Amino acid sequence: MSSVIASARFSVLDRSRTREGHPPAEALRETVALAREAEELGYHRFWVSEHHGVPGVAGSAPTVLAAAVAAATRTIRVGTGGVMLPNHRPLVVAEQFGVLESLFPGRIDMGLGRSVGFTDGVRKALGRDKDDADDFAAQLDELLGWFAGTSPTGVHARPAEGLGVPPFVLAMGEGARIAARAGLPMVIGDLRGRERMLRGIDQYRSLFRPSPWAPEPYVVISGTVAVAGTPEAARRLLVPEAWAMAHSRTHGTFPPLAPAEEILARSMTAKERDLYESGLAGHVAGTGDQVAHELETVLKESGADEVLVTTSTYDRTALLDSHRRLARLFAPRG
């Protein structure tokens, strides 16, 4: 086993992707089941996401789903990747994570993002607009203040105040600078935009200010990692998500995942085909040996402390097999 891979942590983010012919409730139950498997396989964290009004994603309430995941597991860290802070009042977010940490002490992570709704309609329904993301640094400062008990309002966040729930910043663009100045761990993606990712990591490390939350930089790199018995089988894992992305870019809505064989038989417009092929490119995918080589390269280039695996596909059996094969690379048994 590679010493570089052995020294890194590996974690899972599951977005509760819906599948054609399956109800959204099933996607949520599958997320909880996958968390149990990830714990058994030795993954370090299991995170869930926040999306609103998206047909292809059932995970709209991450702190609620995180509670279900934590209740169904025993040792794995559980958190959000992430709660989109511009969509919420920081006090309410602090209270929610305070409840989670109180119920599952020492196991909760608070991953925070700066995105607002995917469409104008969703943003309107949330009472937000694109400009709200510009206030993320101030929102983050307010949120952390509720845990420290330093709010100038004189109000105290119960039961959050005094608890140490580790915060992480999901960094896209400006997020790396915000994470560095706040002295927080950073999650950066994706593995396909390697040069941009490495620039963000360099910027984060150069601007990092130690804080009570983190004495030194901590980098989590995120992206799709697909492992299978053959390169062709690994590529097949990527097909449903690649098509969903192509569909969203051409139709304006992100759909449930379709079976790979159905997508491979489809006729596509030239634009759809270009977007689909682009969606298949650049991921860490292949046999165990191929993925190990690629992971070793990216870990050496980035100096990352952790890899957050974000793979989604229609075939849940193949997805679990991929996670098992990956686990053999960082935690071989027997």
Side-chain angles (χ1 to χ4, degrees):
M1 176 174 56
S2 161
S3 60
V4 176
I5 292 175
S7 63
R9 290 167 165 166
F10 283 79
S11 300
V12 174
L13 166 67
D14 190 73
R15 287 177 292 149
S16 306
R17 292 287 275 113
T18 58
R19 299 185 292 157
E20 285 187 1
H22 298 261
E26 188 173 329
L28 297 171
R29 289 192 290 269
E30 287 169 343
T31 291
V32 175
L34 183 60
R36 291 196 195 98
E37 293 282 358
E39 179 176 75
E40 184 68 24
L41 291 169
Y43 284 89
H44 183 61
R45 311 177 203 278
F46 190 93
W47 282 5
V48 296
S49 64
E50 175 181 338
H51 296 273
H52 299 283
V54 180
V57 182
S60 56
T63 54
V64 177
L65 186 53
V69 168
T73 53
R74 294 172 293 105
T75 57
I76 196 169
R77 297 195 64 85
V78 176
T80 55
V83 164
M84 296 302 145
L85 199 48
N87 291 338
H88 310 280
R89 293 302 308 163
L91 170 61
V92 175
V93 175
E95 289 170 337
Q96 290 173 346
F97 279 97
V99 169
L100 283 169
E101 176 65 19
S102 299
L103 291 172
F104 309 101
R107 290 180 56 206
I108 300 300
D109 299 323
M110 184 168 58
L112 305 162
R114 62 192 292 266
S115 297
V116 289
F118 187 59
T119 65
D120 289 339
V122 169
R123 287 190 289 272
K124 185 176 180 181
L126 290 168
R128 299 291 185 266
D129 60 43
K130 287 182 178 179
D131 294 340
D132 287 314
D134 297 337
D135 297 328
F136 179 69
Q139 294 161 349
L140 183 62
D141 187 58
E142 180 185 340
L143 173 61
L144 299 181
W146 289 116
F147 287 93
T150 57
S151 171
T153 63
V155 175
H156 297 273
R158 311 290 188 198
E161 188 173 309
L163 297 180
V165 183
F168 294 73
V169 172
L170 276 61
M172 299 298 288
E174 177 65 16
R177 292 183 285 276
I178 292 170
R181 292 180 184 127
L184 301 181
M186 175 184 73
V187 182
I188 188 166
D190 66 35
L191 295 171
R192 292 188 300 164
R194 200 70 53 87
E195 288 186 14
R196 183 182 176 195
M197 184 184 78
L198 294 175
R199 284 197 304 271
I201 292 170
D202 288 344
Q203 186 177 59
Y204 167 71
R205 290 199 176 107
S206 67
L207 295 173
F208 186 85
R209 301 173 185 168
S211 76
W213 297 100
E216 57 189 27
Y218 189 90
V219 175
V220 184
I221 54 175
S222 69
T224 294
V225 181
V227 197
T230 65
E232 295 75 23
R235 180 180 170 89
R236 192 179 182 86
L237 279 165
L238 306 176
V239 165
E241 189 75 15
W243 167 250
M245 290 298 296
H247 186 277
S248 72
R249 296 281 297 276
T250 51
H251 295 78
T253 184
F254 198 68
L257 296 173
E261 57 271 20
E262 179 187 309
I263 294 163
L264 292 170
R266 276 184 184 160
S267 58
M268 301 182 192
T269 66
K271 184 176 182 182
E272 286 173 340
R273 176 66 63 182
D274 285 347
L275 290 166
Y276 166 71
E277 293 292 345
S278 175
L280 289 172
H283 299 289
V284 177
T287 64
D289 287 344
Q290 290 171 325
V291 166
H293 174 74
E294 187 65 23
L295 285 173
E296 187 168 9
T297 299
V298 72
L299 285 167
K300 284 180 177 176
E301 288 176 349
S302 65
D305 302 281
E306 188 169 339
V307 179
L308 181 66
V309 180
T310 64
T311 313
S312 297
T313 194
Y314 181 90
D315 186 337
R316 299 295 293 191
T317 301
L319 177 63
L320 179 55
D321 181 64
S322 176
H323 286 310
R324 283 178 178 148
R325 289 173 183 269
L326 176 58
R328 290 185 203 131
L329 300 182
F330 68 80
R333 301 186 177 192

